[in-house]
Amino acid sequence: MIHAVLIFNTSGVPRLTKFYSPIEHSAQTLVERIYALVSSRQPGLCNFLDAPELEQFLKPKDGLPGEKLRVVYRSYATLHFVFVVDVAESELGILDLIQVFVESLDSAFENVCELDLVFHFDEAHHILAEIIQGGLVLETNVNEIDRAVQEAARARKESFASANPLSLGGGSAVGSRGAGLQTPLGWLAGRLTGVGAR
């Protein structure tokens, strides 16, 4: 099971945090511990390590005492992608899952960077939710993840346009609330063309 997904910058500032297991102590302390583990590793070492010191922070859902936790991470430019998993998960499978997550972020943001995670945190969380739910992997196909994210964005845009009669977008969905209303831009264009005709 996946217990946590974290993204840090090189200064240790968390840019995305998602916990799938209850936290026993402060989340900030847990994040600092995980960053200390990852940042102290040499670049030539493998990308996963046992982390018994995290067991006091994360309580497993099944309530099994003494469950061993492992940190699997990968660094891309200025970002560290970190997954905290139990020993039942394959480390290489999790590394592949990190790659899928990064590719999905790349396709959504076109070369993802730290600022994308800061300003579009909701979309980053949505992409993560398409991949992982409740600590279990749902989807690993980047094209399917991208399609689901685009459909949700389109539905959100249509919902906003239909609910807001002042929006400049179409809002031309069947049964939209503002179907009989003219947009402000259309009203202004009609007024301006009427001025020249007089």
Side-chain angles (χ1 to χ4, degrees):
M1 180 181 163
I2 299 169
H3 293 279
V5 176
L6 308 156
I7 301 176
F8 302 108
N9 65 10
T10 52
S11 302
V13 178
R15 294 304 181 194
L16 181 139
T17 57
K18 180 68 177 172
F19 296 99
Y20 298 103
S21 294
I23 302 171
E24 289 292 313
H25 301 289
S26 163
Q28 184 62 34
T29 307
L30 175 61
V31 167
E32 289 169 1
R33 289 275 176 96
I34 294 172
Y35 176 72
L37 284 171
V38 171
S39 65
S40 64
R41 304 271 294 179
Q42 297 298 320
L45 296 175
C46 70
N47 290 353
F48 45 88
L49 63 138
D50 289 328
E53 59 268 19
L54 299 180
E55 292 171 19
Q56 63 181 332
F57 290 96
L58 288 171
K59 181 180 179 185
K61 284 185 180 177
D62 341 0
L64 299 174
E67 185 176 24
K68 304 292 184 211
L69 296 178
R70 222 171 246 159
V71 173
V72 182
Y73 69 95
R74 193 150 185 199
S75 299
Y76 294 93
T78 61
L79 295 173
H80 300 291
F81 291 77
V82 181
F83 281 46
V84 179
V85 300
D86 57 25
V87 293
E89 295 290 337
S90 164
E91 294 86 3
L92 296 177
I94 296 297
L95 282 173
D96 190 40
L97 190 63
I98 292 173
Q99 181 67 30
V100 166
F101 185 35
V102 170
E103 286 179 15
S104 298
L105 289 171
D106 265 345
S107 68
F109 298 122
E110 295 155 14
N111 274 339
V112 67
C113 68
E114 187 175 349
L115 289 177
D116 291 324
L117 298 176
V118 170
F119 292 117
H120 303 287
F121 65 90
D122 55 338
E123 191 166 347
H125 275 279
H126 182 245
I127 292 169
L128 181 62
E130 288 293 329
I131 299 171
I132 302 168
Q133 283 287 320
L136 302 174
V137 178
L138 290 180
E139 184 65 64
T140 58
N141 185 339
V142 176
N143 295 328
E144 285 295 316
I145 296 165
D146 190 36
R147 184 189 56 74
V149 169
Q150 287 176 356
E151 283 180 10
R154 186 173 38 257
R156 188 170 46 246
K157 189 182 226 181
E158 288 174 2
S159 172
F160 175 74
S162 67
N164 185 0
L166 299 178
S167 70
L168 297 177
S172 58
V174 176
S176 70
R177 290 168 41 185
L181 297 177
Q182 190 176 24
T183 65
L185 187 59
W187 178 82
L188 183 61
R191 292 291 180 188
L192 291 177
T193 55
V195 170
R198 289 183 196 179

